Amino acid sequence: MTTSTSPSASGTTAEVVLEADGLTKHFPVRKRGRELLSRAVRSVRAVEDVTLRLHRGRVTALVGESGSGKSTVARLLAQLYPRTSGAIRLHGEPVDTKGGKRFRAYSKRVQMIFQDPFASLNPVHTVRYHLTRALKIHGNAGTNAAEQEQALVDLLTRVQLTPPERYIDKFPHELSGGQRQRVAIARALGADPEVLLADEPVSMLDVSIRLGVLNLLRDLKERLHLAILYITHDIASARYFADETFVMYAGGIVEGGDSETVTQRPAHPYTQLLIDSAPDPDRPAAEVKDGGTGEPPSLITPPSGCRFHPRCPHAMKVCPEKAPPRFAIGDDGAAAGAAGAVGDGAHFAACWLYGDLSDADRVKLRREDGR
Amino acid sequence: MSYLLKRIAFYLFTAWAAITINFFIPRVIPGDPVQALITRSRGQMTSEAVQSLYVLFGLDKDESLLEQYFTYLGQLLSGDLGLSFTYFPSPVSQVIGDGLPWTLGLVGITTVLGFVIGTALGTGIGWRRGSWADALIPITTFVSSIPYFWLGLIAIALLTGPDSFFPASGAYDNGLVPNPDPEFIGSVIRHGILPAFTILISSMAGWILSMRNMMVTVASEDYVTVAHAKGLTDRRVMLSYAARNALLPNVSGFALSLGFIVGGTLLVEIVFSYPGLGLQLFQAVGAKDYPLMQGIFLIITLSVLLANFLADVAYLALDPRTRREG
Amino acid sequence: MSDAVLEVRGLNVDYGLGDEAVHAVRDVDLTLHRGEVLGLAGESGSGKSTLAYGLTRLLPPPGVISGGEVLYHRDGGEPVDVLRMSHAELRAFRWAETAIVFQGAMNSLNPVHRVSTQLTDVIKAHDPRSTPAARLARARELLGLVGIAGDRLDSYPHQLSGGMRQRVMIGMALALEPKVVIMDEPTTALDVVVQRQILRQLVELRERLGFSVVFITHDLSLLVEFSDRIAIMYGGRIVEEATSGELYRNPKHPYSHGLLNSFPALRGPKRELTGIPGSPPDLRGMPPGCSFHPRCPHAMERCGVEVPVLGVPHDHVGPDRTVACWLHPVHDNGS
Amino acid sequence: MTVVPSTAASTPAAAPVKRRRLRFVANPKATVGLVLLGFFALIALIGPWIAPYDPSARSSDLLQPPSAAHWFGTTHLGQDIFSQVVVGTQSVIVVGFVAGIVATVLSVLVGVTSGYLGGAGSEVLSALSNVFLVLPALPLMIIITSTLPETGTLTIALLIGFTSWAWGARVLRAQTLSLRGRDYVEAARATGEKTWRIILFEILPNLTAVIASGFVGTVIFAVTLEITLAFIGVGAGSGWNWGTVLYWAQSQQALGQGAWWWFVPAGLAIALLGTALSLVNFGIDEFVSPRLRGGGKTSVKTADGHTVRMRVGFTPVLASTPVGKTPPKVGAGANGKAES
Amino acid sequence: TNPGTNSSNTEGVLNVGMPNGPQTENNNPFLNSSAASSLGYRRLLFEPLAMVNEVNPTEKPKPWLATEWTWADNYTKLSLTIRDGVTWSDGKPLTAEDVAFTFQLLKANPGLNIDSVPYDQVSSSGTKVDVVFPRSQFVNQKKILEQLIVPKHIWSTIASPTTETVKTPVGSGPYTLKSFTPQTVTLAVRDSYWQELPKVKEVRYTSYSDNNAQTTALATGAAEWSFVFIPNYEAVYTSKDPEHYKLWFPPVLGIHGLWFNTKVTPWDNPALRRAVNMVINRDDIFTQGEAGYFYPKVDHITGIPLPAGASYIAPEFKDKTVKVDVEGAKKELTAAGFTFDGDKLKDPSGQPVTLKMTVPSGWSDYVTNLEIIKDNVSQIGIEATVDLPNADAWTKALDTGDFQAALHWTNNGPTPYDIYENIMNGALYKPIGEGGINGNYGRYENPEATAALNDFANAPDEATRTAAMHKLQQIHVRDMPVAITSAANAGGQYSTKNWIGWPDEANPYAPAQPTLENALDVVMHLKPAA
Ligand SMILES: Nc1ncnc2c1ncn2[C@@H]1O[C@H](COP(=O)(O)OP(=O)(O)OP(=O)(O)O)[C@@H](O)[C@H]1O
Ligand SMILES: Nc1ncnc2c1ncn2[C@@H]1O[C@H](COP(=O)(O)OP(=O)(O)OP(=O)(O)O)[C@@H](O)[C@H]1O
Ligand SMILES: [Mg+2]
Ligand SMILES: [Mg+2]
Ligand code: NI
């Protein structure tokens, strides 16, 4: 494997590789009981109007509550699910493939690492099979056995499964979770993609192994200029490894921007709740504020307007009425721009707190506590 | 189209397809009911006499197969199964009515019993995996592999006789007329014991094995460990936690086996001269009795479909997860 | 120690028998004090779950306890050895004295029974004379304790979210007001918001009811924040034990050290993460001596030969702590 | 980076595979089953040569009980029953395996395709297998065999094969449906695998257990069906099989005549073959599902000599003394009392 | 103990059994498919005009409902005198009108006219009934006289007699239907009857599902009268109670034999057929295939069963029986141009002679017989095979002539005519490949034989008939289209434990089969044992 196959290694880091615009996904729900006779179609609104850009040589983190649609976004971007609406553009070209040749061409450029390394490796195949297939399909296996072997060894070395001979002929069940996760990463790399969609690639690992995998991802980003989507529950790791961080809540992106900014100065009430809830040994326990309770919303009948409003301590009259657009946030954490006009990489939040509102709209729905 | 309608359409389609196949297959056989009648009884008949039989059975009309098919469908829709050839001119519905209760009674009850006993034994053996109870498994395997007609014949040879409590054939004593008096019922039970036992022995083994395997599988589920951790009694863990969950696949298997009651145990009826539907079907097939065959096939088809439906329902009732939304 | 509820002495747990046996837990000594949260951390596969299940003899085959004692101190009574109980005694002991919250909540609840059934049957098993109405009321109360509305009693497990199921399990664990609650990675599958909600409730309940908790997790930040004391396991042994503050600020064992340098912090300046080189040991072929020595940056000759003893390091001053590392020679027992 | 020669790297591959195979044979049940099955297969192969007599040849020893000359006795025509059973093995084995193979191939084709593809095609295939499931097997076989002028062994085998695939197809379809959603199938798709490769290399290998036990099940079913058919005089054909032997015994009322030797050997042979197949099936089940694996010991000896059963929920305690300490004086028999 | 069998002693019950499977309530006496016919109890409910004893066909029929009958105009006109004082079971008197009505019913409903008797004009007056036929009914006499008579007042109200199941049969016989179950039909004796009432007060017809069950019932005494094939009957049946368990299987004028397809070489060569006929071991067939009783041995060269057909035998064939004669057969063959190549027989064209015999796969006695024949013919160098298609394919093969040789039967009748008619009638001839006939499966074509058959059936005088019969015998012996091995039977198994008076060798007053017309006569003869 050589690095020369990847496009101009020195290009601007801001080049957009993969772009999602207004991505929406609804899953139809099986009916039950009396509903069998009704005509109403119910669906899980798993992803609603998500706009997202992945840049060359940058890691974009996606954090958020579980079930908020992070994996679904990744699968949509990998074209594994048909989307309900919205557009996906690869280098500005709209893509819409259902399978066949065009899908394979797409999959060569956009690869996904699945959330669960225990499930995403076929138990009946060896590491060698998994990796050889990835190489062969995308023509990276070389022309003879020796070249193929070399490519395999390269891949394994790259994910630090060394010495490669020790792992190459193992079955998944003979590997530890961390090793599996690295095989899954190696498989994705075997296609020599431009975009890597990594869905919680380290969730199952203990901290020391986790660190190794994350360092690998950073290394890939830096050496091969991959665009990486990094989905995680571990916000601290997003801070460390991602250039940009987006926060999802109930199917929508509620905040985004530079990782350091988002994690240190969260603007959206949900992000604030999330950051506050994250365990942090450096923080005296007394400092932890009560982040509010309440269940995650149903995605079948989501709350109207801003989906966070039933749990939001700052909810205002406008919140249940209109879904908030993205508002740019200034460096001091105050409102800084008009809705929708958010520059690439700039900090934004989809929350009326930062919008231009009439006083009537600003009427609080409940007594503000704490903050 | 809603889910329910889809389901119904699916059942209707299957029923129609099966009925159609059941209609055509017997008719592509060489020979016809009259020839079969003569051959079977080594009957003696002049050529003119043969013709009179064709007239009698209504087979002299030159109807194309397709016409016959539509006539048949039309009759079926109006609930008319036609007249049997073997028992001409008895209506097929009457012939089936004579046999069905016996089949349902003998095979139905034993199927249910076999399931219940087998499942109970399987539960116990599976729960005590590793104890002496496991030694039962090879025995059960062997017993379940014995063809039950063979078992029946051996039973007849060994256990029946002039002075035996067990009669060798029939469903009740000759001369008794079916009515709910104790003598008749006692006689029915006496006649049922041996055939029931052969079915029971060979059907039970299967349930024991599958239940045992499911028990072993389920016993290592986390929730069973939790149940132990909760300090519940062994009985409660076994029944309410392990067996309750292990039962699920068995139940759908059971529902499907209900569908095979009619078609499945033909040989028991043959061996024990039990006047059930299986025996009738066997005779109908030999006699090319299309109407009777179709009638019995219809019963079988419907009962299998019904059983399928029951399996669906049972699953829905027993496994709350299938009632899940999204 | 007077306020111990659970004392583990020399516990050895194997998977399998004879030569094939995997020694998953070796010579573990551990004391759980009344009302404390004892965190258990360590590499994946280091034997944390095995230890937890071994304590209550819930290990599935082929697990066997090959030696040791688990002494439970009843209120005011003589300590009893859990490992010597008959099945009936064990049944009575379980849940009433020690309850367990298992790793996966989805699998811990029987999918075919309602939540109410699963809550009440444990009460019924231990108090057969209680009335159904009383049991149901208690079940409702338990759900309330963990912040779930009473109308969820009639739900089936699959109708609850992961967080709710986890909370049901916690509620269930408290049903008989046990003295010890063992929790094996109870929040791994949950997002931080839900995780914090659950732990907050647990802390409150512990303050009210005064039970002790053994808390197992990979999430060191969480552990440090939440537990009173932390024990670190490596290769089936406990390699270090200290109060959480002590351990966080001043880990003594090189492995603990490495662990604490492997996780990023959410707040404060970004610090360098060094991680631990090498890969975890294979339980079947444990290195001789200190099982960490092949990966240890400070390994000495002795480390590859002799197993270090867990004990109070003699250079140590301050509250109780023990470590098993030749870098920190221990005091003789009791001296 | 040095190029690692592929030969060197591929040698360790043999290790896990071998381990798996051995595990299957290590299962005592499966071993017994395989040995029995091998025995029957051998007889099927060499039966016609080792049979002491022509199974149809008449002799003057009419209806003789077993003797040195006729191990299983003779029929009413003086035919040697031992020879009939031995020669008949071939037909039974051929029918079993040919039907098993045909039905398995069909059920895989229909079940897996309909499970993986989804959409209208899948519905049609599923309906097809349901229709075949609804058709009553035995009566249908009786009818179909009478359509054919001659019903040789192979015809019967093919017929059984073609009519008995539906059950397997249904099971496979359900399995495939659940496998289809697995992450590794999705992952293969995301890697860019073609559909046929996904079906063949990702899904099928994971169905091996189901397919194999389906195959064994069909073999049992086919054997029983053939024998049943022969027994009731349908499709007895001109060849010998165990069913034909039983048919003759039955039509000559062997049991009534006290000629038990006419009945017993064939019946026991069927039961033995069935047992062999079920045992192999056990092996497959346990081989594939680790939870059923009975290979390990199920009871252990404690330090004080008691035998304790390994069971879920009550981990056996071999010795409850902290290492290096003297045992307390508590009665040692109290723990680990087996309950069952 | 079995209460079912015990009670029969005390209550005057006779237990009849038939191996016919479960029945459906259907008492139509005209239809062979009804339970009444299948089990035979129609014979006790309804009565014929006269009883013909098939065992001794030359015996004059016994008057029953008709006291007298006369044939006129070369058997084209029948005049009957109907018995007086006979009543139906509903009390109405039986009159000549009822008899006439029955014939008219048959004429109007070809479906009911199972014997296809061509009734033309039927008239009645007083006690007289006159029936006119379009052609001679010499060979149909028995069928007409045995016709069961039904009451006009009931049947004239039945709209569709062919699809009538007659739930409450009204007949003139001594019994009425007491109860019907698919397993057992019970008849009870009437209060009054034109003859002395039978001693049997109740008759139970039980239908067993197959021969095995029936045999077991006979062996245990549960059935006292039946007609069933029992292999090794001594071991299975009579030995259980040698004193009482009896069977009597007299031959009647119908046969079973090996039919050759006379249009297939080399079997178109009569010499070859004769040779085969000479080597067939009829004793083995009788003792091994037919269990020593079922189809009695026929070893007369003409194929006519004896003694039933003794009076018809041509003088030149008197006492001419066939014995296994391998040398004779070989001589016959070499004379006809066949050669032996070592053991193998070659036909005149040099082809080896093989014989493929077919029989339905489930017919154990036939299969056994063929196995024996296969063995036998190997002695004259013929390599024979036994082919076992299923019954339908076999029927079709015979129908279309697609076979070499097959075991089959002929019709039986009061004279050997029916046998020869079935085998040699040119009117039944169809070329190979065509079917739709019921007889002459061997495609035998001989105008001489056809003419002789016509002569016998239609001749106005006895002399012509005798000549024709002798002619037929000569043709048969010469051409041997069927190697006849066995006779049809009219026998039965019965037990003398409770009832005596059964027909037997010593007193052959009727066939012993419970479903034949004479069953009523047999029941009338029964008396309680001691
Ligand atoms: N195939 C599907 N059919 C129906 N609903 C689905 C499907 N896949 C996902 N969902 C629903 O869509 C929502 C989003 O799921 P998704 O897996 O994207 O969440 P996530 O953010 O990745 O959560 P986690 O952090 O737990 O992985 C959830 O409510 C889930 O139940
Ligand atoms: N059935 C078994 N047979 C053999 N070895 C086993 C078995 N179960 C567990 N082990 C081994 O025992 C060791 C301890 O496992 P355990 O589950 O206690 O680890 P853990 O510390 O809880 O890990 P994790 O953090 O991944 O949950 C592991 O190395 C594991 O491989
Ligand atoms: Mg996800
Ligand atoms: Mg664990
Ligand atoms: Ni240190």
Side-chain angles (χ1 to χ4, degrees), chain D residues 91-314:
Chain D
S91 161
V92 174
I93 299 282
V94 166
V95 165
F97 282 82
V98 171
I101 289 168
V102 169
T104 306
V105 168
L106 280 175
S107 64
V108 168
L109 280 180
V110 175
V112 175
T113 351
S114 85
Y116 185 75
L117 291 185
S122 154
E123 286 296 312
V124 168
L125 286 179
S126 144
L128 184 74
S129 42
N130 261 292
V131 169
F132 267 83
L133 202 62
V134 164
L135 295 178
L138 183 55
L140 205 67
M141 286 294 302
I142 301 177
I143 293 176
I144 298 177
T145 43
S146 49
T147 324
L148 308 163
E150 245 170 290
T151 42
T153 299
L154 208 61
T155 327
I156 296 261
L158 290 177
L159 269 176
I160 297 179
F162 277 105
T163 48
S164 58
W165 53 269
W167 184 261
R170 213 177 129 115
V171 174
L172 282 175
R173 181 180 136 91
Q175 283 290 323
T176 311
L177 275 175
S178 88
L179 285 183
R180 184 172 68 158
R182 295 278 164 90
D183 270 359
Y184 59 78
V185 176
E186 285 279 273
R189 215 154 72 77
T191 309
E193 290 279 19
K194 296 193 176 73
T195 304
W196 67 266
R197 267 204 84 101
I198 294 183
I199 294 185
L200 229 55
F201 292 96
E202 305 293 332
I203 294 189
L204 266 189
N206 283 291
L207 292 172
T208 330
V210 184
I211 294 174
S213 61
F215 172 75
V216 171
T218 316
V219 172
I220 299 182
F221 175 77
V223 167
T224 323
L225 194 55
E226 186 205 11
I227 287 163
T228 307
L229 283 173
F231 175 72
I232 56 180
V234 179
S238 25
W240 284 101
N241 66 50
W242 301 338
T244 342
V245 177
L246 288 181
Y247 163 74
W248 277 104
Q250 169 73 349
S251 67
Q252 293 299 315
Q253 305 192 5
L255 286 177
Q257 298 193 41
W260 54 268
W261 59 87
W262 205 344
F263 248 102
V264 173
L268 285 186
I270 298 168
L272 267 185
L273 179 61
T275 311
L277 287 166
S278 314
L279 288 178
V280 172
N281 203 359
F282 265 124
I284 294 172
D285 279 358
E286 299 194 356
F287 169 53
V288 178
S289 157
R291 283 170 161 175
L292 287 181
R293 218 168 280 155
K297 278 197 173 169
T298 48
S299 58
V300 291
K301 266 212 156 64
T302 62
D304 47 12
H306 286 259
T307 304
V308 188
R309 186 159 62 87
M310 279 199 176
R311 55 172 295 197
V312 176
F314 296 92

Side-chain angles (χ1 to χ4, degrees), chain C residues 250-254 257 298 327-328:
Chain C
N250 181 20
K252 283 201 187 301
H253 196 280
H257 206 266
H298 314 290
L327 288 175
H328 307 274

Side-chain angles (χ1 to χ4, degrees), chain C residues 162-216:
Chain C
M164 288 167 101
R165 282 195 291 255
Q166 202 62 266
R167 279 186 263 175
V168 169
M169 282 310 295
I170 293 173
M172 192 185 296
L174 301 177
L176 304 172
E177 308 199 345
K179 293 285 156 312
V180 178
V181 176
I182 299 170
M183 306 181 95
D184 189 2
E185 308 196 24
T187 55
T188 352
L190 307 175
D191 66 65
V192 285
V193 177
V194 180
Q195 169 175 310
R196 183 159 292 279
Q197 282 174 12
I198 291 179
L199 292 182
R200 191 185 302 275
Q201 266 153 0
L202 195 69
V203 169
E204 280 171 18
L205 290 169
R206 181 177 63 115
E207 273 157 19
R208 257 204 286 159
L209 305 173
F211 51 83
S212 315
V213 179
V214 177
F215 191 84
I216 302 173

Side-chain angles (χ1 to χ4, degrees), chain B residues 23-82:
Chain B
F23 176 87
F24 283 103
I25 284 185
R27 277 162 225 260
V28 297
I29 308 171
D32 57 53
V34 174
Q35 287 294 344
L37 189 72
I38 300 166
T39 305
R40 215 162 54 112
S41 59
R42 301 189 193 175
Q44 304 166 349
M45 227 165 254
T46 62
S47 292
E48 304 90 52
V50 170
Q51 192 50 39
S52 77
L53 273 180
Y54 283 107
V55 174
L56 184 68
F57 290 169
L59 293 171
D60 53 336
K61 301 181 212 77
D62 233 359
E63 252 185 316
S64 78
L65 210 56
L66 216 59
E67 279 170 316
Q68 291 177 39
Y69 174 61
F70 285 115
T71 321
Y72 172 66
L73 281 191
Q75 280 181 348
L76 210 58
L77 286 181
S78 60
D80 178 8
L81 297 179

Side-chain angles (χ1 to χ4, degrees), chain A residues 71 115 199-200:
Chain A
S71 300
Q115 182 166 4
D199 191 354
E200 305 198 21

